[in-house]
Amino acid sequence: MATTTATTRATTELLERLREQIVALDQTGVEQTTLEALAAGASAQEIISGGLGPGMEAVGKRFEEGDFFVPELLLSARAMQSALDLLRPHLERSADTSPGTIVLGTVQGDVHEIGKNIVAIVLAADGFDVHDLGEDVPPQEFLDKANELGADVVGMSALISLAVSKMAETVAMLRESDFKGRVIVGGAALTRESAEQIGADAFAADAWEALGNVRSLIQEVAS
Ligand code: B1M
C-alpha cells in the first residue's frame, strides 16, 4: 500500500513536470521525463492525458494571452511529437485481425495534426486498419479514399473554428454518396452539440473515447 502511494506520488510529480517542460519548450526534458514516467509505471494514456495534453492546453492559453506566438506553438508541438514517438511502442497492437477500416484526417484548412495522430496510434494499437490522410484534407479526398477502401468509419479532426464548415461539407458529401459507413469527429473546435449539428454519427473528446465509439460504430455497420 505504501509502495503504491509512493508510486502514485512519483507519477503525479512526473506528469506535473511534463506539463511545465512542454510550456518551457524543453524538448530534451520532455523526452527524459516521458521515459522516467514510463519507468515509474505510468501508462501511455496517463502520460498523454495527464502531462502532455494539459501542457499543450497551457501553451494555447499563453498564445491567447499574447505571451506566445506561432514559433512557440511549433516548438511545443515538436516536443510533444517526440514524446509520442517514445510512447508509440507502449501502445502495442493487441489483435492479429483487423476489426475494421478507418479513414482518418484533419480537415481542409487546418494543419493541427497531434490529436489526430494520437487517435491514429490508439486505433491502430487496437488492431484497426487506419489510413491516415494527414492534415489539410479536402472533402473529396476523404470521400475517394473511403469509397476506394470500403471504409467502415471516416474520422475527422478540427482544431480551428474556421475549419468546421469544411468538416460539415465533408459529412454532407459522404451522406450524398454511396458511402455506407459511419462518421466520427473530434478536436478542440468541436463540441458534442456541434458534432450532432453537422450530422456526424459520433463525437469523442479524446482518443480513448474515440476508440470506444469506433468499436460501437463498427458493430452498427456490421448489424
Ligand atoms: Co494552433 N491554434 N494555430 N497551432 N494551436 C490552437 C488550436 C488554438 C486553440 C490556440 C489558441 O488560440 N488558444 C487556436 C484556434 C482558435 C480557434 O479557431 N478556435 C489556434 C490558432 C489560432 C492557430 C493559427 C491560426 C495561428 C496563426 O497562424 N496565427 C494557426 C492555424 C494554422 C491552420 O491550421 N490553418 C495555428 C498553427 C499552429 C501550429 C502549426 C504552430 C501548431 C500545430 C503543429 C502541429 O500540429 N504539428 C499549433 C498548436 C500546437 C496549437 C495548440 C497550442 C495545441 C494543439 C495540440 O496539439 N494540442 C492549440 C491550443 C489548444 O488546443 N488548446 C492551438 C494537443 C492535442 C493532443 O490535443 O488536438 O485537441 P487535440 O486532440 C485531443 C482531442 O481534441 C481529441 O483527442 C486528442 C486527445 O486524445 N481529438 C479527437 C482530436 N482529434 C480527434 C478526432 C477524433 C476524436 C478525438 O475522431 C476522429
Side-chain angles (χ1 to χ4, degrees):
M1 185 67 181
T3 317
T4 314
T5 312
T7 307
T8 311
R9 198 180 311 125
T11 303
T12 307
E13 281 168 15
L14 288 165
L15 297 184
E16 175 62 37
R17 198 201 298 167
L18 263 182
R19 291 195 284 273
E20 288 166 6
Q21 286 170 329
I22 286 275
V23 177
L25 314 172
D26 175 7
Q27 180 171 339
T28 309
V30 167
E31 288 165 2
Q32 280 167 357
T33 308
T34 298
L35 293 173
E36 269 185 65
L38 283 170
S43 68
Q45 180 172 357
E46 282 172 321
I47 293 171
I48 293 170
S49 304
L52 300 169
M56 295 302 278
E57 280 289 321
V59 167
K61 205 156 189 310
R62 291 273 182 107
F63 178 74
E64 269 174 43
E65 289 164 353
D67 294 334
F68 275 3
F69 298 92
V70 171
E72 283 85 2
L73 297 189
L74 278 171
L75 289 172
S76 66
R78 199 176 298 166
M80 169 124 193
Q81 193 56 57
S82 66
L84 283 182
D85 291 341
L86 294 172
L87 294 175
R88 199 183 293 266
H90 295 268
L91 289 157
E92 278 167 10
R93 194 178 168 97
S94 59
D96 290 334
T97 52
S98 168
T101 301
I102 321 290
V103 168
L104 192 65
T106 302
V107 296
Q108 190 169 26
D110 195 333
V111 301
H112 296 86
E113 62 175 343
I114 296 172
K116 181 266 299 166
N117 289 350
I118 298 173
V119 174
I121 296 171
V122 168
L123 290 175
D126 206 57
F128 286 98
D129 200 359
V130 180
H131 293 261
D132 186 348
L133 300 176
E135 315 83 57
D136 195 16
V137 181
Q140 189 68 47
E141 199 176 329
F142 278 107
L143 179 61
D144 290 346
K145 194 46 113 182
N147 284 335
E148 179 196 324
L149 300 171
D152 301 292
V153 175
V154 170
M156 288 181 272
S157 181
L159 268 80
I160 55 171
S161 313
L162 283 173
V164 176
S165 59
K166 275 292 165 192
M167 191 178 256
E169 198 183 306
T170 313
V171 177
M173 206 181 233
L174 287 163
R175 299 293 185 216
E176 285 159 15
S177 75
D178 292 336
F179 175 68
K180 300 279 186 296
R182 298 290 185 268
V183 178
I184 180 168
V185 297
L190 273 297
T191 60
R192 275 174 218 288
E193 291 71 32
S194 59
E196 203 176 315
Q197 274 165 16
I198 65 169
D201 297 298
F203 164 83
D206 65 31
W208 289 273
E209 190 183 353
L211 174 61
N213 289 347
V214 166
R215 283 186 188 140
S216 310
L217 292 174
I218 298 250
Q219 275 177 0
E220 253 180 62
V221 175
S223 62

